Amino acid sequence: MLAGAWLPWVLLRPNRLAPGEPLRLEPGWLLGAAALALLPALVGHWRRAWVWPAATAALALGVWLLGQQTAAALVGQAPFARASASSGAWLYLLGAGIALFGAAQAAPERRWVGWVWLGPVLAAALSGHLNAWSVVVEGRSEGARWVQELGQHLRLVGTALGLATLLGTPLAIWGAGRPRVAGAALGLSSGLQTLPSLALLGLLIAPLSALADAVPALRAAGLSGIGVSPALTALTLYALLPVVRGGLLGLQGVPAGVLDAARGMGMTRTQRLWRVQAPLALPLWLGGLRQAAVVLIGVAAVAALIGAGGLGTYIFKGLQSAASDLILLGAVPAALLAVAVDAGLRRLEGWLGTRLGRAE
């Protein structure tokens, strides 16, 4: 954070594509940011419980300074000028985030500390304080199109995760008591994950195009070599490994004594599966779903290259035009979405594990 306070904070560009002029913090703001950068380390040696308020204050100042400095940089500039966050702002905010994460890890009973960063970020965003930041400017100009691409990204991930669950759960149940079947299922799904996502999308174009030409009904239903069809196929195949592995680990981890007790009670094989094995395996199975969801959120961005849409549209549009703001417009929401999904499913996984532990 201390290094970030001294580095350029804002990059002022006459337009989206032109090279920018780096702008540093004024001496007063620089001293304040440097003081708050040192505060978490100083209070950590004295009283560890005060690290998270100090880190939160540093992060809040960083977010506020980003909005204040970008707005000040655009005064007197043309309407199409852009003020982006420079290396100093990113490094400062990263340092404050690491300090918050460390405070949460040092106090497991206060894990909520790791989410304190949402407060200043949401406050600045909802109040309009960040409206001059180039990423927000690009987001406003895209408007409904960005919402549409975000919805498409969520649809791709949700549909692929559902299809992978429908395919992977029966495979896990079938292979739970059959080592050869389990090995074959894991080997096949592991082999699919070794293929680069872009290569897999390319390999699917020819067979899906041939299938659509051979069966007109499928073409009428929307099947084609480019677009959503190959994207969903590739995403589903990528999600199979964590879903199958999570299901197998959960079902195979049920204690043998519990299954013997269920047999002694006269339960059939189906009853043992749904009343005993499935509830006990659910936390590990949810762990597999969590891993699959996080992987899909990232891989779905590549699907934009074949016309499937999603947040990757802005990433590749920004790469083609060397517009970093457009890249961030797709990459930052995707990263935040992955963090939110991982945290939500992890909490559900832990809650189920606690309840099952109490039940035992």
Side-chain angles (χ1 to χ4, degrees):
M1 284 191 290
L2 188 60
W6 290 90
L7 290 171
W9 200 269
V10 172
L11 189 67
L12 177 62
R13 294 173 295 166
N15 55 62
R16 178 194 289 173
L17 304 179
E21 175 190 358
L23 303 176
R24 298 178 182 271
L25 292 175
E26 297 176 0
W29 291 120
L30 191 151
L31 290 176
L36 279 181
L38 293 171
L39 192 59
L42 293 176
V43 301
H45 289 287
W46 177 40
R47 186 167 295 182
R48 187 172 296 178
W50 287 13
V51 173
W52 75 265
T56 304
L59 189 143
L61 177 66
V63 174
W64 187 86
L65 277 176
L66 177 60
Q68 188 267 343
Q69 293 292 309
T70 51
L74 290 177
V75 174
Q77 301 293 325
F80 41 82
R82 295 289 187 268
S84 307
S86 192
S87 56
W90 290 119
L91 190 59
Y92 190 90
L93 293 174
L94 176 63
I98 291 174
L100 269 176
F101 179 79
Q105 295 299 310
E109 70 279 3
R110 294 200 304 267
R111 287 295 176 89
W112 52 269
V113 169
W115 292 95
V116 171
W117 60 272
L118 277 175
V121 172
L122 288 177
L126 295 177
S127 65
H129 185 69
L130 296 176
N131 283 353
W133 183 26
S134 56
V135 177
V136 178
V137 173
E138 295 292 351
R140 287 204 310 269
S141 66
E142 292 293 329
R145 172 70 188 278
W146 182 85
V147 176
Q148 178 184 347
E149 297 298 349
L150 175 62
Q152 177 66 2
H153 201 93
L154 292 173
R155 281 192 294 272
L156 287 172
V157 171
T159 305
L161 188 62
L163 291 173
T165 303
L166 289 175
L167 293 173
T169 301
L171 278 175
I173 293 173
W174 186 28
R178 300 172 178 85
R180 290 186 178 180
V181 174
L186 288 175
L188 179 60
S189 53
S190 299
L192 290 170
Q193 279 221 340
T194 61
L195 292 172
S197 55
L198 190 57
L200 182 57
L201 288 170
L203 290 173
L204 289 172
I205 291 176
L208 289 179
S209 298
L211 183 60
D213 291 337
V215 185
L218 292 178
R219 178 179 290 277
L223 183 69
S224 63
I226 60 173
V228 175
S229 301
L232 279 180
T233 304
L235 292 174
T236 302
L237 294 176
Y238 266 109
L240 272 180
L241 177 60
V243 171
V244 172
R245 183 171 55 195
L248 283 173
L249 289 175
L251 292 172
Q252 292 173 349
V254 177
V258 175
L259 294 177
D260 289 339
R263 290 190 193 95
M265 294 173 63
M267 287 188 181
T268 63
R269 189 171 187 174
T270 303
Q271 288 174 330
R272 291 197 302 271
L273 172 63
W274 294 110
R275 296 187 181 182
V276 179
Q277 289 178 281
L280 293 176
L282 190 56
L284 282 176
W285 179 72
L286 274 178
L289 285 180
R290 174 174 55 82
Q291 295 173 14
V294 173
V295 168
L296 290 182
I297 290 172
V299 176
V302 184
L305 285 175
I306 58 169
L311 294 173
T313 301
Y314 294 104
I315 296 175
F316 293 109
K317 186 189 295 186
L319 288 173
Q320 291 170 358
S321 58
S324 59
D325 299 331
L326 287 178
I327 298 174
L328 292 175
L329 193 60
V332 171
L336 293 178
L337 183 62
V339 171
V341 169
D342 179 75
L345 291 178
R346 190 184 294 274
R347 180 173 290 274
L348 179 60
E349 183 183 343
W351 177 75
L352 285 173
T354 303
R355 291 204 59 176
L356 288 173
R358 290 176 181 174
E360 292 177 359

